[in-house]
Amino acid sequence: MIYWHVFIAFFIPNIIGYGGGPAIIPLVENEVVGNYGWMSSQEFAETLALGNALPSPIATKMAGYVGYDVAGVPGAIIATFATVAPSLILMLVALGTLYRYRNSIKVKSMSQWVRPIVMVLMGYLTWSFLAEGMAGAGLLHTVIIGGISAVLLMATRVHPALVVCGGLGYGALILG
């Protein structure tokens, strides 16, 4: 039964999610933390940070890690398959239709309309991570890490993975 739950926990967010890996992360968080209780919000945030620090798509890395954490190697394989299967199925079914109507104003509008929803989902996730960070590290360290990260990401060409690694290093050295 755990394998079925792992499959559903990753398949449903990926079949209804639209907008790429970052867009489905709040949906996966809802399943992993809220619905099944396999991780706390803090553990999920750490998994997300680690996934961001490593190369390749984040959703599959997170699925593999969470699946392994919950149900071992079979869980990792099932969760990763459940993450890529919706895209694979939809691509096989819809590719011809979307390609035929790729210049349609309706298809272009559909992508425009979903962006505010993705923005709200990412904003909510950011807010919950900020609250978790402040609860765990305190206001001062959260402001220091957030401020330095913001400067590095907006004013320099430092790769985001290095910024995440810097935050991990700060946490390990300063916060213990």
Side-chain angles (χ1 to χ4, degrees):
M1 194 62 156
I2 188 67
Y3 298 131
W4 175 248
H5 288 167
V6 168
F7 179 80
I8 291 298
F10 287 94
F11 186 79
I12 297 297
N14 282 284
I15 196 76
I16 64 172
Y18 181 81
I24 61 104
I25 289 172
L27 303 175
V28 171
E29 193 248 358
N30 182 57
E31 294 296 318
V32 170
V33 175
N35 190 20
Y36 291 105
W38 292 327
M39 291 183 158
S40 68
S41 292
Q42 179 65 32
E43 292 169 329
F44 188 83
E46 292 169 359
T47 302
L48 178 63
L50 184 61
N52 270 328
L54 299 173
S56 75
I58 188 169
T60 52
K61 290 179 290 189
M62 290 184 64
Y65 178 79
V66 173
Y68 180 80
D69 192 47
V70 171
V73 172
I77 293 169
I78 290 168
T80 304
F81 175 73
T83 299
V84 299
S87 297
L88 180 65
I89 293 167
L90 289 174
M91 287 293 291
L92 293 174
V93 172
L95 186 60
T97 304
L98 286 176
Y99 187 76
R100 186 178 325 152
Y101 297 107
R102 70 182 180 277
N103 294 323
S104 164
I105 191 70
K106 290 183 179 179
V107 171
K108 290 181 179 178
S109 295
M110 185 175 70
S111 294
Q112 296 286 330
W113 295 340
V114 79
R115 287 181 184 169
I117 296 168
V118 172
M119 181 189 72
V120 168
L121 289 172
M122 293 304 293
Y124 173 75
L125 188 64
T126 301
W127 180 257
S128 68
F129 285 171
L130 177 65
E132 287 283 331
M134 289 180 57
L139 178 63
L140 177 65
H141 293 294
T142 301
V143 169
I144 290 171
I145 293 171
I148 291 172
S149 298
V151 169
L152 289 174
L153 290 172
M154 291 189 285
T156 69
R157 298 180 62 89
V158 174
H159 193 277
L162 294 176
V163 175
V164 171
C165 287
L168 289 171
Y170 182 91
L173 294 175
I174 306 299
L175 301 176

